[in-house]
Amino acid sequence: MKIQQFSQQGKRSNNEDSLGTNECLLTVCDGMGGHNYGERASAFVKDAMLKAFAEVHPMGKMEIQQQLNMVQSDLNHLLETEPELERMGTTFTGIFRTPDVWYAAHIGDSRIYLFRPSEQKLWHTWDHSLVGELMRTHEITIEAGRFHPMSNRISKAIIAQKEGKPSSASIVKIDELKAGDVLLLCSDGVIEAWSDRELVQLFSDSNLSFEQKCKRLAKQCNDNSKDNNTAIIAMIEEEDAFSYGTNEELEWTTFDEVEDDYRQYLKDNGEEDESSGDDEEEEENETDGYADEMESGEPRRRHWGIVIGVLVVAALLLLGLWLPHKNKADKANPKANTPEKVERPRAGNQATAPKIVKQAADANASEKTDTTNVKKPGVDSVAKVDTAKKAEASNATSKEELKNW
């Protein structure tokens, strides 16, 4: 198992955090009380627990809780000679190794994370605080909990006091660990600098070595955290992996759910996720565009455009088939297709039109009468020819007048 650790003061005047490791226990404690009392409390609990669990041995949750109770009792005894130490205290996180399973225990708002990049999921403890409970029940997002004004008010801690019951730890059994899993024990100063989303991105980055990830974790804490920040990072290797169960006591969170929590936080605060990939935005835009089209009726208009286009093409085809037949019919019966030039008289010329038509009809009648009576040449024939010419001229005049009308 690879282990890296750091403890940094941040912007505080002193460092009240403590950490320690041995074959059986990894622990981080965050002291409180001021005037170096917090530093003393965290160091006292850390040293006592490392001494009690110096070697790997079979144990259970009860033994862990009993030992924590004894440590708190010993802390209370300090008040007999140093009453000014009353109300000094510390948080506690610990990973306990046994010959088979492991245990994770915590009191307060220091956290334990288990990242499993191979399955895109993680588990972590929930802070013993009002804000921690709001996050656990999804009343607020985890990201919002980082910046909540009451996030530093915890409901459990190991506190030196003359009266009062010892704080019970939240303890879970870890009965399966895989190669590549990463354990992170940290004080709240680390959470001040790192969101869960950023931690997921860091420990699932296959382009960075384990050592590079730990250095990056420490640097961002040093740059962005005002509080003391302390962490132990352990990566499980092949020889450390084991499987005695399915981690039924762990409530896993998928990496996607962590991402959703962060996006919900941004949405609640009217912000945008600037780190979203172009491909994802493009895919969403395509989907949204389709939805907008459906809502605005664009596909419906496109449908009617296609129908109209088909009808126009069909009409042109029918017209192309009809015109040749019409031309043949016109050649066979030209008179039937001669349009009448007068359909109805215009206003003011109703008396003129019948007169012109009557003149044309009389001229045609005279022509027929004169020409049908011609039997042989002679003087009468010459007279009838003159009459025919006059009728023809009269007929032409009538046609011209009709045309002008």
Side-chain angles (χ1 to χ4, degrees), residues 86-379:
E86 187 170 10
R87 303 302 299 174
M88 76 173 181
T90 183
T91 67
F92 173 81
T93 61
I95 293 292
F96 297 83
R97 300 176 65 182
T98 78
D100 42 30
V101 300
W102 292 14
Y103 291 94
H106 87 287
I107 298 174
D109 62 352
S110 295
R111 292 186 190 176
I112 302 174
Y113 287 85
L114 172 57
F115 298 94
R116 182 165 289 176
S118 61
E119 297 178 10
Q120 296 285 294
K121 63 182 183 181
L122 77 152
W123 166 83
H124 63 80
T125 57
W126 293 103
D127 301 346
H128 291 143
S129 66
L130 173 62
V131 174
E133 185 63 17
L134 292 175
M135 292 188 295
R136 187 184 70 82
T137 58
H138 304 291
E139 295 293 327
I140 62 174
T141 62
I142 295 176
E143 187 67 11
R146 292 177 61 216
F147 307 106
H148 198 285
M150 297 179 64
S151 61
N152 62 339
R153 297 185 182 182
I154 60 177
S155 57
K156 284 185 178 183
I158 300 175
I159 300 175
Q161 52 189 346
K162 293 179 180 179
E163 297 179 358
K165 295 181 179 180
S167 296
S168 59
S170 296
I171 307 173
V172 296
K173 180 174 63 176
I174 302 174
D175 52 23
E176 181 192 44
L177 284 175
K178 295 184 177 183
D181 288 356
V182 176
L183 285 162
L184 169 65
L185 294 78
C186 63
S187 63
D188 61 345
V190 174
I191 307 306
E192 180 186 350
W194 287 83
S195 68
D196 279 14
R197 181 192 189 222
E198 291 173 321
L199 290 173
V200 164
Q201 292 173 343
L202 176 66
F203 289 112
S204 61
D205 190 347
S206 59
N207 295 320
L208 297 176
S209 67
F210 174 68
E211 291 74 18
Q212 289 174 323
K213 293 174 183 178
C214 295
K215 288 180 180 178
R216 186 167 295 186
L217 181 70
K219 183 179 185 306
Q220 185 161 315
C221 288
N222 187 58
D223 293 341
N224 299 335
S225 184
K226 296 179 181 179
D227 200 358
N228 306 150
N229 51 91
T230 300
I232 297 175
I233 313 98
M235 188 179 75
I236 306 301
E237 299 181 287
E238 288 291 347
E239 57 268 24
D240 307 307
F242 60 86
S243 180
Y244 297 99
T246 57
N247 287 329
E248 293 180 357
E249 296 186 20
L250 305 187
E251 296 180 3
W252 294 96
T253 301
T254 67
F255 288 179
D256 287 340
E257 288 172 335
V258 173
E259 187 71 25
D260 291 341
D261 178 89
Y262 182 76
R263 290 182 178 177
Q264 184 62 48
Y265 166 78
L266 293 180
K267 182 179 179 182
D268 293 343
N269 290 274
E271 301 177 21
E272 294 183 359
D273 185 2
E274 298 178 355
S275 63
S276 296
D278 295 337
D279 294 340
E280 184 177 343
E281 291 180 0
E282 197 172 309
E283 182 178 345
E284 290 178 355
N285 289 337
E286 288 177 0
T287 305
D288 293 342
Y290 177 74
D292 293 341
E293 279 191 353
M294 293 301 294
E295 185 174 351
S296 63
E298 184 65 27
R300 195 173 298 173
R301 290 196 294 270
R302 196 180 300 165
H303 169 75
W304 280 113
I306 293 172
V307 171
I308 292 172
V310 171
L311 291 175
V312 169
V313 171
L316 292 173
L317 289 173
L318 290 174
L319 183 61
L321 293 173
W322 176 72
L323 284 176
H325 291 291
K326 183 179 182 301
N327 291 335
K328 290 180 180 179
D330 290 344
K331 290 178 181 178
N333 190 8
K335 290 184 179 181
N337 292 289
T338 302
E340 294 185 11
K341 296 185 179 180
V342 180
E343 294 180 358
R344 70 183 195 183
R346 294 185 183 178
N349 294 323
Q350 294 181 3
T352 307
K355 181 177 178 181
I356 296 172
V357 174
K358 185 176 182 301
Q359 290 176 354
D362 291 342
N364 287 331
S366 299
E367 181 180 359
K368 287 180 180 180
T369 303
D370 293 338
T371 52
T372 52
N373 291 329
V374 177
K375 293 182 179 179
K376 60 180 180 180
V379 177

